[in-house]
Amino acid sequence: MAMAIHSAKIVSELIIAANINKENEISTEIRSSIEKCYARQWKRLFGRRIYWGRKLHYFSGKSRYTDVFLRTVQHLPILKDNLINLTHGKTIF
């Protein structure tokens, strides 16, 4: 849910910056520009989270790795904190 809210914030800020409202028609080049900016910002904001989420899912989904992974995280709280930081975003302002 947080990623959806962040995504909406990104696109709404881009629309506001482009000075688009209900009365204005959006030209193809403005729309293309907004889409490119959105994709860049989305990747910057979520790319690392998605990458690490996939890696963690891979290891937690394999039964032979799960036990070792969980024991390691249990004994190294700093690792747990780092994994949480890699897969969770920042507060929206």
Side-chain angles (χ1 to χ4, degrees), residues 1-90:
M1 177 96 142
M3 287 177 65
I5 294 168
H6 268 79
S7 296
K9 182 178 184 281
I10 292 169
V11 76
S12 64
E13 288 173 347
L14 291 171
I15 289 171
I16 290 168
N19 197 24
I20 297 170
N21 57 40
K22 291 180 183 179
E23 292 81 34
N24 293 351
E25 283 290 320
I26 301 173
S27 70
T28 306
E29 55 195 40
I30 290 174
R31 180 183 170 133
S32 177
S33 174
I34 289 173
E35 288 174 356
K36 287 177 186 174
C37 287
Y38 173 81
R40 242 189 337 268
Q41 289 185 31
W42 193 95
K43 187 173 182 178
R44 181 184 54 78
L45 196 59
F46 302 120
R48 183 179 75 144
R49 290 167 61 181
I50 298 293
Y51 174 82
W52 284 107
R54 285 182 180 151
K55 295 298 179 194
L56 287 173
H57 178 74
Y58 173 80
F59 284 110
S60 65
K62 307 288 184 192
S63 60
R64 61 183 165 190
Y65 297 132
T66 302
D67 292 334
V68 174
F69 176 73
L70 291 176
R71 274 191 251 123
T72 303
V73 170
Q74 183 180 13
H75 294 299
L76 296 171
I78 188 103
L79 178 61
K80 178 186 71 167
D81 294 339
N82 285 338
L83 291 173
I84 290 171
N85 286 336
L86 288 171
T87 58
H88 289 71
K90 307 285 185 243

